[in-house]
Amino acid sequence: GQNIDQPTEMTATEGAIVQINCTYQTSGFNGLFWYQQHAGEAPTFLSYNVLDGLEEKGRFSSFLSRSKGYSYLLLKELQMKDSASYLCAVKDSNYQLIWGAGTKLIIKP
Amino acid sequence: GAVVSQHPSRVICKSGTSVKIECRSLDFQATTMFWYRQFPKQSLMLMATSNEGSKATYEQGVEKDKFLINHASLTLSTLTVTSAHPEDSSFYICSANLGGPTEAFFGQGTRLTVV
């Protein structure tokens, strides 16, 4: 079956750096996405990786290793507003999004 | 970027009644839209894939007669929760993409409460 794993919850300190990992096993691969979701709201797009390597976008970076079925989202200079759930999703061979359960990130002052 | 509009954002209905949720792609045509359900503290669960001009494809365990999906045009898909029960209370989200490997664009979500 298809499976995406990410930690359930993480805690970090304001101003620090946090890395959220995601491992996947899917039928085919057409890109990996990271979304941010605040409680009661729809997910918002953060990043997209289809080739191996690091994609940097401001305070957020995302890394992909296709051979290892592994990605991480790196958040720098954490702010209180970064407290949210972070969802990892992979598009399979049918371009259907397979979702991880999400990682709840708690930022402490 | 592409915009998907979902309406209503919140709805409260009585048990036994039906509720319709609309999902519109505002600046692009979407031959396929997706309907998700999300329970508190859980991830998105795909309910069905809505196909313009044809029947929706439902995920295993989702009752097609209870969750009616209509995709009559390239910019509108509707989800009707029929004979709603309190256990249908949830957050429903639609999404669409421009095809291929592009990102999914989400509607704002609908918080349904059945009393």
Side-chain angles (χ1 to χ4, degrees):
Chain A
Q2 308 202 92
N3 193 50
I4 296 183
D5 288 316
Q6 47 182 132
T8 304
E9 186 174 298
M10 299 182 70
T11 302
T13 304
E14 189 176 16
I17 299 173
V18 70
Q19 177 175 311
I20 303 173
N21 296 324
C22 170
T23 58
Y24 63 90
Q25 294 173 308
T26 57
S27 56
F29 179 83
N30 280 299
L32 184 143
F33 299 79
W34 284 96
Y35 284 82
Q36 180 190 62
Q37 186 178 26
H38 287 98
E41 298 180 11
T44 55
F45 171 76
L46 289 179
S47 68
Y48 169 68
N49 294 70
V50 66
L51 299 176
D52 290 351
L54 187 68
E55 294 282 341
E56 297 187 78
K57 188 185 295 184
R59 294 189 299 115
F60 292 4
S61 302
S62 57
F63 171 84
L64 174 67
S65 169
R66 289 172 296 171
S67 63
K68 295 182 179 179
Y70 168 71
S71 173
Y72 67 73
L73 179 69
L74 191 72
L75 292 77
K76 303 177 184 177
E77 302 171 15
L78 286 170
Q79 302 174 9
M80 297 303 293
K81 67 178 182 180
D82 297 330
S83 292
S85 288
Y86 291 85
L87 306 175
C88 173
V90 172
K91 276 198 176 178
D92 65 11
S93 56
N94 295 319
Y95 294 100
Q96 179 167 310
L97 273 174
I98 310 301
W99 294 90
T103 298
K104 182 178 180 181
L105 178 62
I106 300 170
I107 309 297
K108 295 186 175 181
Chain B
V3 177
V4 174
S5 177
Q6 186 174 340
H7 177 81
S9 58
R10 293 178 182 272
V11 59
I12 300 174
C13 71
K14 293 184 178 180
S15 291
T17 61
S18 296
V19 173
K20 179 185 287 188
I21 303 170
E22 292 187 348
C23 181
R24 295 180 184 273
S25 56
L26 296 185
D27 52 0
F28 67 101
Q29 294 182 330
T31 56
T32 304
M33 291 185 177
F34 303 89
W35 287 97
Y36 295 88
R37 183 174 183 176
Q38 187 175 35
F39 292 105
K41 300 183 180 180
Q42 295 187 23
S43 190
L44 298 171
M45 182 190 77
L46 180 65
M47 297 176 65
T49 302
S50 171
N51 305 297
E52 188 269 335
S54 64
K55 292 182 179 180
T57 304
Y58 289 82
E59 295 301 302
Q60 190 173 8
V62 178
E63 299 175 59
K64 62 180 181 181
D65 294 330
K66 179 167 184 62
F67 299 99
L68 299 178
I69 291 174
N70 184 283
H71 195 152
S73 76
L74 287 171
T75 58
L76 174 64
S77 175
T78 61
L79 168 68
T80 301
V81 182
T82 63
S83 188
H85 290 158
E87 55 263 34
D88 298 326
S89 299
S90 187
F91 191 52
Y92 293 86
I93 310 175
C94 71
S95 80
N97 63 36
L98 295 173
T102 59
E103 66 182 271
F105 300 96
F106 287 89
Q108 301 91 323
T110 298
R111 172 72 59 191
L112 171 64
T113 304
V114 184
V115 297

